[in-house]
Structures are given as C-alpha cells and as structure tokens.
Amino acid sequence: QVQLVESGGGSVHPGESLRLSCAASGTPFSMLAMGWYRQAPGKQRELVAKITSGVYITYSDSVKGRFTISRDNAKNTVYLQMNSLKPEDTAVYYCNAQRPAVPPYDYWGQGTQVTVSS
C-alpha cells in the first residue's frame, strides 16, 4: 500500500511560482515511478510530469521549460517546482505513484488546488 499527501498549493498571480510536495509512505519509495497530474473543471485528468525510479523525466508540452519535477528518496518525497505560472495552469494537482506490477497499479493523493489569476 502507498499513501500520498500533497501540499504546497495556493493562489498566485500570473508569472509567480509555487512548489508542490508529495510525501509517500507505506512502500519503498525508490521503487515507485512518481508523477504529477492535474484536472481543471470540466476536463479530464492529464499528465503534468513524471519521474521514474531511474530518474527518467517526462513533461507535458504545456509545462515543459516552466515546471521541474524532482524526487528525494531519503525523504520519500516528490516535488513539482512551478515557475512562470499561467491562468491555464489552474487545476487540482494530484500526486501519482505507480507500483511496478502486472498490471501496474496506480496510487493517488487527494489533490491540492492551484489557482493562477490576476
């Protein structure tokens, strides 16, 4: 079992920054692929960024160059540094963990709200 708790969301102005954190417990963190997803009102949940246990990183085109995902295995935590935030980044951001299995199993946090507005 994996439990995920997100933090760091809030309300900011365009161009400002936020840093999201996701603390994991219950399973060896280093074995998990971690990711951030977001869901805006009326839209499906979409991938923002993903980092594997081997530190292979993938970003959505919409955030590439602005967001940075990282992980600290000693703290069982994954981070999402969000710079140059835009109104279209407004969404609930969810932490995701993938357990290597057949089939792979996904764990989800409760989400943290990010609002970008003037």
Side-chain angles (χ1 to χ4, degrees):
Q1 296 291 329
V2 177
Q3 293 179 319
L4 305 172
V5 180
E6 303 100 329
S7 62
S11 182
V12 298
H13 297 146
E16 295 183 340
S17 299
L18 283 173
R19 189 194 192 200
L20 305 183
S21 299
C22 173
S25 62
T27 298
F29 181 77
S30 61
M31 297 181 180
L32 301 171
M34 304 296 299
W36 288 96
Y37 290 71
R38 67 186 181 187
Q39 187 168 22
K43 300 180 66 177
Q44 291 187 312
R45 191 173 299 186
E46 64 176 353
L47 174 69
V48 176
K50 185 177 182 179
I51 181 168
T52 70
S53 60
V55 201
Y56 182 83
I57 297 174
T58 301
Y59 293 102
S60 166
D61 288 342
S62 63
V63 307
K64 193 175 183 65
R66 299 187 296 119
F67 291 9
T68 302
I69 189 171
S70 61
R71 65 191 296 161
D72 186 339
N73 289 346
K75 295 182 177 180
N76 289 1
T77 301
V78 64
Y79 305 95
L80 185 68
Q81 179 66 45
M82 305 186 294
N83 298 328
S84 302
L85 282 162
K86 304 175 180 179
E88 50 263 44
D89 295 319
T90 297
V92 177
Y93 284 70
Y94 296 92
C95 182
N96 166 264
Q98 287 190 335
R99 186 188 70 200
V102 180
Y105 192 85
D106 287 310
Y107 300 90
W108 297 94
Q110 292 297 307
T112 184
Q113 177 70 47
V114 172
T115 301
V116 185
S117 63
S118 300

